[in-house]
Amino acid sequence: MTNNRFISEKIYLCTLFIWVVVASLVTTTYFIRLDGFLSLYRSLLYLTIFALLIKELLNMSKTLHYFRFHWKQLLVVIALFISMFIVAKNRDGMLDINVLLLVFSARDIDFRKLLGTFSLATFLVLCLTIYASKKGIISNMFMNADGGYRFSLGFNYVSFASQRMFFALCSYLMFRGKKITYMELLALFLATIYMYQQTSTSSPFYLSILILTYALFSLKIIKKGFIIENFWLKKIANYGFILALIITLYFCFYSSGNLFHLVDQFTHNRLRLSVEGFRNFGVSWLGQHIIFTTMDIFGNFTSNYNFIDSSFVQLLVIDGLVVSAFMLFALTKVMKYFVSIRKDIVLACLGIMIIHGMFDPQMLVLRYSPLILFISRLFIMNSDNNIE
């Protein structure tokens, strides 16, 4: 049984690593223009299902025994499957089926191993893409910016590299915890500075500096869990996702003209685009498939640009009320889980990711963020221990 668990764990982690690398390269970089990459991506979607099926067969008896005596967790799994099939209908089909299976199959993998694997895969994607763009193997988009240019570093859009660096940084901080060194923090800081110099993407830059500062004081200098040791911050952490949605809706519909304009200006018109998204598409029970109008064939923004940047607004508009209700329930339980096992840096990083998700769309996208994998903590089979 122990041998089966070891093998199944290695199968899962290797599958997750390969999936993140290949899916990211194909869907978010100019590697898609190279011969063979699209075929590789299509093969990946089916090979992932095959690998996870083998992993599940190795653990079949244990899984059946567990869910036989944990009917509440079984109900969560059923709700997850229903929600992700609705998401697949509205979004990327087979890609979302892959995400569903990766989330379900993560239930017996320690969260640190999930984070370590994810951050390694994400850093590899960054290094491969930037190297290939510098060597001229793939294209490098550039756009005019105040006083200079913004470069995509081989990604499909100029902000993607910085967004990916932000989630890699958060994943690595959660993975390393109190073991992180000053040199590692310095390396993450320098990488963040480099990304900002190249892409001029403000949101991930400022949030990265904020979480690095928190990690420096919390993990190295003062060595205190500021969130976990404060009653009110723990309460806020428990309901962070619900509070973020309420604040987002308040800004969209109830804020005064001056406050709306200030927030909209600070977020580069993303608040206005969220409001227009609600007006143009509405919110339904089971969501809807939407093809956003963004750029023309020459790479310029169109006059009828209507993309919704907010992860929370996308959740409501694209995925619908049923999926939104499940996600808010599940992610709130995730926050309570990490409060219960006193993972302060995890809560801090998740809090930063929540703020990021209010005005950026990557929060629940597994190619960028590991957050959705944490839903597996709701039906976890092997408790995460308290190693820091």
Side-chain angles (χ1 to χ4, degrees):
M1 185 67 71
T2 303
N3 190 48
N4 278 0
R5 179 180 173 184
F6 175 80
I7 295 172
S8 67
E9 182 181 87
K10 296 304 178 187
I11 290 174
Y12 180 88
L13 294 176
C14 288
T15 302
L16 176 64
F17 179 83
I18 294 170
W19 190 93
V20 172
V21 171
V22 176
S24 299
L25 290 176
V26 172
T27 61
T28 66
T29 79
Y30 283 120
F31 275 103
I32 185 62
R33 296 183 178 181
L34 300 184
D35 291 339
F37 262 81
L38 187 57
S39 297
L40 177 64
Y41 172 65
R42 290 168 177 164
S43 300
L44 168 75
L45 298 180
Y46 292 99
L47 288 173
T48 297
I49 295 174
F50 179 71
L52 294 179
L53 178 61
I54 294 175
K55 185 259 184 184
E56 291 301 325
L57 288 174
L58 289 172
N59 287 336
M60 181 64 74
S61 59
K62 183 179 179 181
T63 298
L64 293 174
H65 182 268
Y66 174 82
F67 285 118
R68 180 182 177 186
F69 295 100
H70 296 82
W71 62 271
K72 290 182 179 179
Q73 285 82 349
L74 180 59
L75 290 178
V76 174
V77 171
I78 293 171
L80 170 66
F81 271 71
I82 293 172
S83 296
M84 289 305 296
F85 276 116
I86 294 173
V87 171
K89 171 185 73 71
N90 295 328
R91 292 184 183 257
D92 298 314
M94 183 62 74
L95 182 67
D96 290 306
I97 299 300
N98 273 212
V99 174
L100 164 64
L101 297 177
L102 285 165
V103 173
F104 173 72
S105 201
R107 69 194 182 281
D108 54 355
I109 310 294
D110 188 288
F111 83 91
R112 283 173 299 274
K113 294 180 180 179
L114 294 174
L115 290 167
T117 301
F118 183 90
S119 59
L120 179 61
T122 305
F123 282 126
L124 179 60
V125 169
L126 281 166
C127 292
L128 284 175
T129 306
I130 294 172
Y131 176 81
S133 70
K134 296 294 185 183
K135 293 295 183 179
I137 299 171
I138 59 176
S139 301
N140 183 7
M141 175 193 289
F142 67 93
M143 295 176 62
N144 288 321
D146 294 335
Y149 293 97
R150 302 177 67 188
F151 300 97
S152 74
L153 301 175
F155 289 86
N156 292 339
Y157 186 62
V158 289
S159 67
F160 287 178
S162 286
Q163 303 289 10
R164 190 166 290 283
M165 180 64 207
F166 167 75
F167 286 105
L169 182 152
C170 289
S171 301
Y172 192 75
L173 288 177
M174 291 188 283
F175 165 60
R176 292 289 286 158
K178 291 181 179 179
K179 293 181 180 179
I180 200 163
T181 65
Y182 284 106
M183 288 303 297
E184 288 172 304
L185 290 173
L186 178 61
L188 292 171
F189 173 73
L190 292 176
T192 299
I193 295 293
Y194 172 77
M195 288 298 176
Y196 183 66
Q197 289 176 336
Q198 294 293 309
T199 70
S200 297
T201 308
S202 57
S203 174
F205 172 71
Y206 293 124
L207 292 175
S208 294
I209 297 301
L210 182 59
I211 191 60
L212 282 172
T213 303
Y214 183 93
L216 176 64
F217 282 92
S218 174
L219 300 176
K220 306 307 295 182
I221 298 177
I222 299 178
K223 298 183 179 180
K224 175 183 177 181
F226 298 109
I227 297 173
I228 208 66
E229 295 183 20
N230 182 284
F231 175 81
W232 292 110
L233 290 179
K234 275 199 301 185
K235 289 296 182 184
I236 292 173
N238 280 332
Y239 301 100
F241 285 95
I242 295 174
L243 288 172
L245 177 60
I246 292 172
I247 293 170
T248 301
L249 294 178
Y250 171 78
F251 282 144
C252 286
F253 298 112
Y254 300 104
S255 59
S256 64
N258 290 336
L259 179 60
F260 182 94
H261 179 72
L262 178 65
V263 175
D264 187 50
Q265 189 175 34
F266 183 73
T267 59
H268 305 289
N269 297 320
R270 291 178 176 181
L271 183 57
R272 176 181 58 80
L273 289 168
S274 291
V275 173
E276 291 179 358
F278 281 122
R279 291 173 177 168
N280 292 336
F281 306 112
V283 178
S284 61
W285 284 102
L286 298 179
Q288 56 197 308
H289 179 69
I290 297 174
I291 299 176
F292 291 111
T293 303
T294 54
M295 292 184 173
D296 59 26
I297 59 174
F298 302 107
N300 300 312
F301 291 112
T302 60
S303 58
N304 56 340
Y305 181 94
N306 64 352
F307 186 75
I308 300 171
D309 292 277
S310 170
S311 296
F312 289 95
V313 177
Q314 277 201 16
L315 190 63
L316 285 167
V317 172
I318 300 176
D319 301 312
L321 291 172
V322 171
V323 173
S324 297
F326 170 76
M327 285 297 179
L328 284 176
F329 161 78
L331 294 171
T332 299
K333 296 286 285 185
V334 166
M335 297 298 281
K336 290 183 177 181
Y337 171 78
F338 285 114
V339 168
S340 71
I341 63 173
R342 300 183 63 80
K343 295 299 179 183
D344 187 81
I345 190 62
V346 174
L347 293 170
C349 288
L350 291 179
I352 288 292
M353 291 162 68
I354 290 171
I355 296 172
H356 180 272
M358 292 171 67
F359 299 102
D360 283 285
Q362 296 91 1
M363 184 178 72
L364 295 174
V365 180
L366 184 55
R367 286 158 287 165
Y368 283 91
S369 166
L371 178 54
I372 197 169
L373 290 177
F374 286 160
I375 292 177
S376 63
R377 303 305 92 176
L378 275 64
F379 40 89
I380 187 172
M381 294 175 62
N382 303 306
S383 296
D384 297 310
N385 58 42
N386 290 317
I387 297 174
E388 297 292 350

